[in-house]
Amino acid sequence: MSKIIYKSAEEIELIRESALLVSRTHAEIAKVIAPGVTTIELDRLAETFIRDNGGIPTFLNYGGFPYSLCISLNDQVVHGFPGKYTLVEGDLVSVDCGATLNGFVGDSAYTFAIGEVSDDVKKLMRVTKECLYLGIEKAVVGMRIGDIGHAVQEHAEKNGFGVVKELVGHGVGVKLHEKPEVPNYGKRGAGIKLEEGMVIAIEPMINAGRAGVKFWDDGWTVSTVDKKPSAHYEHTIAVGKGKADILSTFEFVDNVLKEKNNN
Ligand code: MG
Ligand code: MG
């Protein structure tokens, strides 16, 4: 059983650099993502951008995963393969990205709407993002892992959505997946205590319908059992005193999308 890898302040700054590279990669994707673009093009763009900036795409060859991005469409929850699929108006696209820079790993996911999506899908995106930040609010010294999951689950279920239980957030920084597991469900005050030096990826995976998922024969792709859409947002954060330090950011990607919508 591996142990939690606690990080020094200096190491947290290095993880921030990696997480910011991931955040900037999401912004590059935002610039081009549109109807007519294939998902493999997004993967190539991400790999090139990460390498041009001195990084390594963390997901590529991780446990045999064959791409730099996980691209999960519509009813796919996570770990989808980029490929020949051409995006169309109304698609919901979750893009998960990891980058290793100077030996440290950042991990962040963002869900994109392609053109106009239904009001139900817009609500799913908004609530999933809210779940992420509600979870992050609990990632402070003295709280417990269950407080994070409880906050995420309560908000999702209050809105009539299903919380994926089979996949969880995780410690991150030296490796992509470290201890502890960070479930998106839980009980207040339950689980291990959060302490300084812990860096975790909080990543709600929220389904528009039922919580259940199925695992594909490709060994990776996960989709909803009821074929309804799913959204996924993720930040790498450092547990802080009174307040979490969010190491990745959606500022870059949101700015690009805002700019696009104004044109
Ligand atoms: Mg991720
Ligand atoms: Mg992750």
Side-chain angles (χ1 to χ4, degrees):
M1 212 44 181
S2 55
K3 287 203 176 123
I4 294 170
I5 304 171
Y6 292 88
K7 281 86 179 180
S8 67
E10 292 75 19
E11 287 168 330
I12 288 171
E13 289 315 308
L14 289 165
I15 298 167
R16 190 192 311 278
E17 292 301 314
S18 309
L20 288 176
L21 176 52
V22 174
S23 306
R24 287 163 56 215
T25 306
H26 280 302
E28 291 302 304
I29 291 162
K31 287 177 189 170
V32 303
I33 197 166
V37 173
T38 63
T39 55
I40 194 72
E41 290 174 67
L42 302 177
D43 187 74
R44 301 260 157 79
L45 178 148
E47 179 173 4
T48 303
F49 185 78
I50 290 168
R51 291 194 193 282
D52 285 351
N53 285 280
I56 299 162
T58 314
F59 296 177
L60 187 60
N61 300 321
Y62 181 86
F65 189 80
Y67 300 98
S68 296
L69 298 176
C70 297
I71 300 186
S72 308
L73 299 158
N74 301 314
D75 67 322
Q76 295 172 7
V77 178
V78 286
H79 303 165
F81 285 178
K84 283 181 282 192
Y85 178 79
T86 304
L87 297 173
V88 295
E89 177 97 15
D91 276 339
L92 185 66
V93 187
S94 136
V95 176
D96 197 349
C97 180
T100 306
L101 191 65
N102 302 311
F104 290 89
V105 179
D107 185 13
S108 178
Y110 194 89
T111 298
F112 295 89
I114 305 305
E116 198 56 34
V117 295
S118 70
D119 286 347
D120 288 350
V121 168
K122 278 183 197 161
K123 182 185 171 192
L124 175 67
M125 295 171 74
R126 174 177 59 77
V127 169
T128 306
K129 214 189 248 190
E130 288 166 356
C131 284
L132 170 61
Y133 287 105
L134 288 169
I136 290 172
E137 272 181 29
K138 303 295 179 189
V140 296
V141 174
M143 299 296 273
R144 290 177 181 270
I145 282 287
D147 292 308
I148 297 173
H150 180 267
V152 171
Q153 181 177 20
E154 185 178 57
H155 190 60
E157 291 181 351
K158 193 176 72 188
N159 281 280
F161 296 142
V163 175
V164 175
K165 314 279 194 316
E166 290 85 344
L167 299 135
V168 296
H170 49 91
V172 64
V174 174
K175 292 182 287 183
L176 177 58
H177 293 123
E178 302 173 2
K179 293 279 157 195
E181 290 194 344
V182 185
N184 294 304
Y185 60 92
K187 289 193 171 67
R188 268 195 197 113
I192 62 156
K193 224 177 216 169
L194 300 173
E195 297 170 292
E196 258 189 306
M198 288 175 65
V199 175
I200 56 178
I202 300 180
E203 49 179 316
M205 291 153 257
I206 306 298
N207 297 345
R210 286 159 55 195
V213 296
K214 67 174 187 195
F215 293 80
W216 290 23
D217 288 342
D218 65 13
W220 287 100
T221 312
V222 181
S223 63
T224 61
V225 279
D226 60 10
K227 301 251 172 36
K228 290 191 178 162
S230 186
H232 180 211
Y233 293 89
E234 175 183 31
H235 275 314
T236 293
I237 68 104
V239 170
K241 273 189 192 151
K243 196 172 190 292
D245 185 359
I246 308 176
L247 305 178
S248 47
T249 176
F250 293 151
E251 194 190 327
F252 308 140
V253 61
D254 285 339
N255 283 344
V256 170
L257 294 176
K258 219 180 286 165
E259 184 85 0
K260 257 177 141 180
N261 287 336
N262 289 339
N263 290 331

